[in-house]
Amino acid sequence: MSWATGVMVYLVIWWTILFAGLPLGVRRVENPGKGEERGAPERPQLARKAIITSIVVTILSVISFVAA
């Protein structure tokens, strides 16, 4: 596998795992104000989820590279 293919596979897996993990640990806004959606997350913690996703995908990539 070339380095370009490896990067593209990494990115596809990264986005897939990020989207799968977005709803985890999210709480809805209890009393939405004017202009706020009731289903909007109170604290989505996107940076934390992106870091966790990066760690998980890096571990999976290393395992797949070693196994190949």
Side-chain angles (χ1 to χ4, degrees), residues 4-57:
T5 305
V7 169
M8 293 310 294
V9 169
Y10 181 90
L11 290 175
V12 168
I13 294 171
W14 191 90
W15 280 105
T16 303
I17 291 179
L18 178 69
F19 285 142
L22 281 177
L24 300 176
V26 174
R27 295 186 188 148
R28 295 180 356 176
V29 176
E30 293 295 326
N31 298 318
K34 184 177 181 180
E36 291 181 347
E37 178 64 34
R38 181 176 270 308
E42 197 169 293
R43 291 182 21 200
Q45 301 176 353
L46 294 177
R48 179 175 177 244
K49 291 178 182 180
I51 291 169
I52 292 171
T53 299
S54 297
I55 292 169
V56 168
V57 174

